[in-house]
Amino acid sequence: MSKRGYHHGNLRQALVEATLALISEKGPTGFTMAEAAKLADVSAAAPYRHFTGREELIAEVALQGYELFADLLEFAYNDGKPSILTAFEAVGRAYLAFARKHPGHYIAMFESGVAPNQSPELAKASERANAVLIRAAEALSARIPPARRPPPAMFSAHITAMSHGIVELYARGKPGARAPFTPEELLEAGVGIYLRGLGLIDTDS
Amino acid sequence: MSKRGYHHGNLRQALVEATLALISEKGPTGFTMAEAAKLADVSAAAPYRHFTGREELIAEVALQGYELFADLLEFAYNDGKPSILTAFEAVGRAYLAFARKHPGHYIAMFESGVAPNQSPELAKASERANAVLIRAAEALSARIPPARRPPPAMFSAHITAMSHGIVELYARGKPGARAPFTPEELLEAGVGIYLRGLGLIDTDS
DNA sequence: TGTACATCAGTGAACGCGCGTTCACTGATGTAC
DNA sequence: TGTACATCAGTGAACGCGCGTTCACTGATGTAC
């Protein structure tokens, strides 16, 4: 609570951060405009100077989440260096790391009910994140014998689904989790087996 | 709205069904005690004769969901007949079919915030469903060369995670979905590749 | 078979609460001259 | 540099709403004799 005058200075972003805190602590339901305002140390009416309503505030949080997500995935992929395979695995780890380090964003993106095609910006950001996965899958695809090469979009959907499933079922909320493995172990092993099934990893390695 | 007298006859179950309808239509948030009561054609106070509160009603819905889920998985597994492999794949399909045909149950179980260890009954039912998957994984495991045989619990977690991920990302809510594949195609292909990675399906088949 | 009575499963009115949102306002800031 | 004024970003009080829940009640049902 730093002292501040009549004007906040950066209320818009402060509200976003309050929302993140509330969401990650109490789930998507545990966030209210009133409480976000309180956390940001302003009156309950102030948020409406920056957002038309509750919906728009959550959407902004999700948008920032998708942007950050896309950045992290791109950084992890690192243009397929040093090798396409290691880059691909790095993307998987980045997925999990994002969910772990930014639970508020993750929940706003995937569990708050905001549809990614709600606004063009949101769609674009979500598309950018997805594009990294598709690009990685395409690069890897080139190494798969054509006969058993799935469409890259399917390939990438599989990895996304497994990652998301692991986050939802084994990484969050439910502590004393359902499996005696860390999410990271689970994903690494799962992706490894999957890639082997595609003939991308030597069967005997 | 059939005519009925002062007594409802089977209000408890009617409330469960009202909850299912509300949840599957409007998400976990779109369910309220008041509206469930209205749907069941009783006053807002009546539900409290059968449930201590909102929480308990949702938990009952989740419980019934886990029971049904376990039944369906067991039926699909069919004791590993005619072959363990086909039985295993049938379980995967049953997972998706359950999510599709019983969205209210699915949401109550996985998205409503009820922890499976909330009550012993719930834990037991959830455990029973999980046990089917573990059993199937164990049976299949026996055929994997020991050197690259993952623990059955991990094996089953992978399949569960992929199934759940597909449901959440590609099967529900988001229509005009994110991928040009049906969830069923996605899961079948994904499980196939995964099993190949374990050496359970012939690489050239 | 008929009656008295305990029990059960509903009703309807009321409560307190917190939420999202609006509105007229006011204090602070920035800009034109 | 100083002043007038438009604009902006806050306030605080108030609203209507629906929700979860409680409570004293009452109608229906089942059982003992």
Side-chain angles (χ1 to χ4, degrees), chain B residues 138-175:
Chain B
E138 273 167 354
L140 262 186
S141 258
R143 316 212 163 170
I144 306 176
R148 52 180 154 121
R149 183 190 296 166
M154 176 175 267
F155 183 173
S156 113
H158 286 146
I159 300 300
T160 308
M162 193 182 287
S163 305
H164 183 71
I166 287 174
V167 168
E168 293 292 328
L169 296 178
Y170 306 105
R172 233 214 351 276
K174 347 230 167 181

Side-chain angles (χ1 to χ4, degrees), chain B residues 6-8 43 45 49:
Chain B
Y6 196 90
H7 287 83
H8 183 285
S43 75
R49 297 284 156 200

Side-chain angles (χ1 to χ4, degrees), chain B residues 114-196:
Chain B
V114 264
N117 41 348
Q118 201 160 79
S119 87
E121 280 174 305
L122 208 54
K124 198 178 129 204
S126 140
E127 194 36 56
R128 181 160 76 90
N130 204 37
V132 180
L133 289 156
I134 301 249
R135 210 180 321 138
E138 273 167 354
L140 262 186
S141 258
R143 316 212 163 170
I144 306 176
R148 52 180 154 121
R149 183 190 296 166
M154 176 175 267
F155 183 173
S156 113
H158 286 146
I159 300 300
T160 308
M162 193 182 287
S163 305
H164 183 71
I166 287 174
V167 168
E168 293 292 328
L169 296 178
Y170 306 105
R172 233 214 351 276
K174 347 230 167 181
R178 296 158 96 143
F181 312 105
T182 67
E184 285 78 8
E185 284 172 339
L186 256 186
L187 184 64
E188 193 188 329
V191 170
I193 293 167
Y194 180 86
L195 293 180
R196 203 165 287 153

Side-chain angles (χ1 to χ4, degrees), chain B residues 11 15 18 22 31-47:
Chain B
L11 182 54
L15 287 169
L22 288 169
F31 149 78
T32 65
M33 288 299 263
E35 223 166 334
K38 191 153 76 175
L39 259 184
D41 210 16
V42 292
S43 75

Side-chain angles (χ1 to χ4, degrees), chain A:
Chain A
M1 302 294 132
S2 63
K3 66 198 159 206
R4 50 161 267 261
Y6 195 90
H7 287 82
H8 182 286
N10 195 9
L11 182 54
R12 186 181 171 88
Q13 192 56 28
L15 287 169
V16 167
E17 267 141 37
T19 303
L20 285 171
L22 288 169
I23 281 183
S24 62
E25 226 179 286
K26 316 195 236 164
T29 330
F31 148 78
T32 65
M33 289 298 264
E35 221 165 335
K38 191 153 80 176
L39 258 184
D41 211 16
V42 291
S43 76
Y48 295 88
R49 295 287 155 199
H50 298 272
F51 300 96
T52 60
R54 183 195 148 89
E55 186 97 330
E56 201 180 274
L57 175 46
I58 296 185
E60 172 65 22
V61 172
L63 175 64
Q64 293 192 12
Y66 278 113
E67 300 284 13
L68 179 56
F69 189 47
D71 287 348
L72 291 179
L73 293 186
E74 264 166 13
F75 180 80
Y77 185 58
N78 192 28
D79 275 322
K81 286 176 279 194
S83 87
I84 296 177
L85 198 63
T86 56
F88 191 83
E89 284 165 342
V91 169
R93 281 196 301 279
Y95 192 111
L96 239 56
F98 174 75
R100 189 185 284 286
K101 287 198 214 150
H102 304 280
H105 284 118
Y106 198 90
I107 294 172
M109 291 154 69
F110 297 114
E111 296 171 49
S112 73
V114 265
N117 41 350
Q118 201 161 79
S119 86
E121 280 173 306
L122 208 53
K124 199 177 130 202
S126 140
E127 193 37 54
R128 181 160 74 91
N130 204 38
V132 181
L133 288 156
I134 302 250
R135 211 181 320 139
E138 273 167 352
L140 262 186
S141 258
R143 314 210 163 172
I144 306 176
R148 53 182 154 122
R149 183 190 294 166
M154 176 177 266
F155 183 172
S156 112
H158 285 146
I159 300 301
T160 308
M162 192 182 288
S163 306
H164 183 70
I166 287 175
V167 168
E168 294 292 329
L169 296 178
Y170 306 105
R172 236 217 344 280
K174 348 230 168 181
R178 296 157 94 142
F181 312 104
T182 67
E184 285 78 8
E185 283 172 339
L186 257 186
L187 183 65
E188 193 188 329
V191 170
I193 293 167
Y194 181 87
L195 293 180
R196 205 165 285 155
L198 287 174
L200 284 166
I201 294 184
D202 195 344
T203 294
D204 307 312
S205 76

